[in-house]
Amino acid sequence: MEKLQKRQNSSINFLRFLFTVGICFMHLVCQVITPYIAKPLPYNNFGAISFCVEMFFIMAGYFLFFSNNSLKKYILKRIARLWPLLAFSTIIAGILRTFHISMTSLTLGDIWNLLFLQGTGLYQGCATNGPAWFVGVLFWVSLVYSLLKIKLSDKNLAFITSFIIVISIFLLWLPKGDIIFTNARGYSPIGGGWISIMMLRGFIAIGLGVLLGIFQKYTVSNLKFQHLQNLSKSKIVFTAIEIILFICLCKNLIFGYNSIKLICLYFISLILFSMMFFLFIGNLGYFSSIILNKKIFNTLGNYSYSIYIMQNVVFYIIDYCLRTYSILTFHPYFVIIISMLLFLSIGIGSYYIVNSITNYLSNLINKNSKIKEIYS
């Protein structure tokens, strides 16, 4: 199991890249383009793609469980991976504002963002980078679960994590009132309370990832399961299940928004992904172990965080172009294609720029150490 966690998993990196592109697309068509296009398309159908954030949380919780770092080292590694690109995205947004490309000014809220407080309830605004709420929630919720993992046995960790998940689900879907603090974000009715709905999403999904790690740890160590997964017939069955789960999850996220109640769609998505992730992480079927076992997916997976965190820069550029050149509003598909290319090029370019800067600073501090990857 330890070797399994250390090596790159192409199928998981494929999912990282796919979900990142999906989230960028959803934000683009549901929020950025809609106010300008001349002939509106049914963009609201894509709202369920936002659940891809839960998939990232689940993956983070799973790998957190198998991390052997001390709490201090875990925090430092998280900051080293998440903060540089977060800061870079804020700087670029400020530059765009200087040249009047962005209509949003840097504010005190950006300071809270850089302290990973966005989406926590202490600060619920989005400042210049709305999607960055994911980073703050990921940092603090992972910190809580990491502390629990260090202090508790696997059995007690599973019990406490399950309890947190149940309570978070209850609060997430609580009827309208003064407890939930949403600020027009998330799935619960807007309230005026003090519990952040983003944090609840994090506690649920990262907790599921932790439980999935516990489950796999004891499943993989079972001799009967080891024998089963090595059978050729089992490989074929696992392959069929992987493909079915992948198709069902994609269909659920893309087309399920208007046909299934939101609460059902939420839980179905979590269940489908958890089952698929269990198969993918162990490369149990040929779909994950052969078809998706490509080096290119490892490379693309490493760009995922950079593409995600820099998407706000693309939003500002596209918004400026739509405001300035009205002819673009008659060609929404062209705008979408150009935007998707910008997501990739700016995200990948930022990855290398920030890596170069962090490596240079690292060499100044300690010539024997380098930060090789921002996020993997």
Side-chain angles (χ1 to χ4, degrees):
M1 174 58 68
E2 185 177 356
K3 293 181 179 179
L4 175 66
Q5 308 312 318
K6 286 184 178 180
R7 63 181 171 83
Q8 287 274 28
N9 188 307
S10 301
S11 60
I12 300 305
N13 280 315
F14 165 77
L15 294 177
R16 282 174 171 165
F17 179 76
L18 180 66
F19 292 153
T20 300
V21 172
I23 291 171
C24 291
F25 173 80
M26 182 273 297
H27 284 152
L28 177 73
V29 298
C30 292
Q31 299 175 12
V32 180
I33 293 180
T34 301
Y36 297 102
I37 58 175
K39 296 181 180 179
L41 298 176
Y43 289 149
N44 286 336
N45 292 349
F46 302 114
I49 297 177
S50 62
F51 292 142
C52 288
V53 173
E54 266 69 14
M55 317 307 171
F56 281 114
F57 282 145
I58 290 174
M59 288 188 279
Y62 173 86
F63 290 112
L64 181 154
F65 175 75
F66 288 104
S67 173
N68 294 320
N69 294 321
S70 64
L71 185 62
K72 179 181 178 180
K73 188 175 181 180
Y74 181 81
I75 294 173
L76 292 176
K77 287 184 68 174
R78 276 295 185 191
I79 294 175
R81 289 181 177 182
L82 299 176
W83 194 84
L85 270 167
L86 179 61
F88 185 73
S89 70
T90 303
I91 293 171
I92 297 300
I95 294 174
L96 294 179
R97 180 66 181 89
T98 301
F99 290 95
H100 305 289
I101 295 175
S102 168
M103 299 293 289
T104 305
S105 300
L106 296 180
T107 65
L108 182 62
D110 290 294
I111 302 297
W112 305 138
N113 287 4
L114 294 177
L115 296 176
F116 301 126
L117 293 179
Q118 182 178 343
T120 62
L122 295 176
Y123 175 69
Q124 195 76 357
C126 60
T128 61
N129 196 339
W133 72 264
F134 164 82
V135 180
V137 172
L138 175 66
F139 180 82
W140 293 108
V141 174
S142 295
L143 185 60
V144 172
Y145 279 118
S146 180
L147 182 61
L148 291 174
K149 174 185 171 294
I150 292 171
K151 298 295 184 181
L152 301 174
S153 64
D154 289 349
K155 182 178 179 180
N156 290 334
L157 176 62
F159 175 78
I160 296 298
T161 299
S162 299
F163 178 76
I164 292 174
I165 292 173
V166 171
I167 295 298
S168 297
I169 290 175
F170 171 76
L171 291 174
L172 182 65
W173 298 103
L174 197 68
K176 185 176 181 179
D178 293 328
I179 297 179
I180 304 298
F181 182 77
T182 64
N183 195 27
R185 284 187 168 279
Y187 324 119
S188 181
I190 299 175
W194 45 272
I195 298 178
S196 164
I197 204 167
M198 288 88 138
M199 290 291 283
L200 295 177
R201 291 174 65 182
F203 276 116
I204 293 169
I206 294 177
L208 285 175
V210 172
L211 293 180
L212 192 61
I214 296 173
F215 175 75
Q216 187 173 32
K217 176 181 178 180
Y218 291 98
T219 301
V220 172
S221 63
N222 186 290
L223 295 178
K224 291 183 179 180
F225 181 81
Q226 292 178 9
H227 175 70
L228 176 65
Q229 71 179 90
N230 291 327
L231 296 176
S232 57
K233 291 183 178 179
S234 298
K235 272 285 188 181
I236 296 174
V237 173
F238 285 139
T239 301
I241 296 175
E242 284 181 346
I243 295 174
I244 291 172
L245 289 173
F246 179 75
I247 293 174
C248 289
L249 179 63
C250 292
K251 181 178 181 295
N252 197 55
L253 294 174
I254 298 173
F255 302 110
Y257 190 74
N258 289 329
S259 60
I260 306 175
K261 288 185 178 181
L262 194 59
I263 187 170
C264 296
L265 191 62
Y266 177 81
F267 289 115
I268 291 173
S269 300
L270 294 184
I271 293 171
L272 288 174
F273 176 76
S274 296
M275 295 171 63
M276 185 181 72
F277 183 79
F278 177 80
L279 298 175
F280 274 34
I281 197 66
N283 287 326
L284 298 183
Y286 293 120
F287 183 56
S288 61
S289 62
I290 296 181
I291 297 177
L292 298 180
N293 188 24
K294 309 297 181 184
K295 186 177 180 181
I296 183 64
F297 293 137
N298 288 331
T299 302
L300 292 176
N302 289 334
Y303 297 144
S304 297
Y305 174 60
S306 179
I307 295 171
Y308 178 91
I309 205 67
M310 295 301 295
Q311 62 182 296
N312 71 305
V313 173
V314 178
F315 297 155
Y316 290 139
I317 294 174
I318 295 301
D319 180 78
Y320 172 79
C321 290
L322 289 171
R323 283 186 283 110
T324 306
Y325 308 103
S326 60
I327 191 173
L328 292 175
T329 62
F330 296 94
H331 304 281
Y333 294 109
F334 173 77
V335 174
I336 291 173
I337 293 173
I338 295 299
S339 299
M340 297 309 293
L341 292 175
L342 283 175
F343 285 131
L344 297 179
S345 58
I346 291 177
I348 294 172
S350 299
Y351 173 90
Y352 287 108
I353 291 173
V354 175
N355 260 325
S356 298
I357 294 173
T358 52
N359 282 333
Y360 175 75
L361 294 176
S362 178
N363 281 329
L364 290 180
I365 298 172
N366 185 350
K367 294 183 178 181
N368 295 323
S369 66
K370 286 188 176 181
I371 301 175
K372 296 183 179 180
E373 293 181 356
I374 298 171
Y375 190 80
S376 61

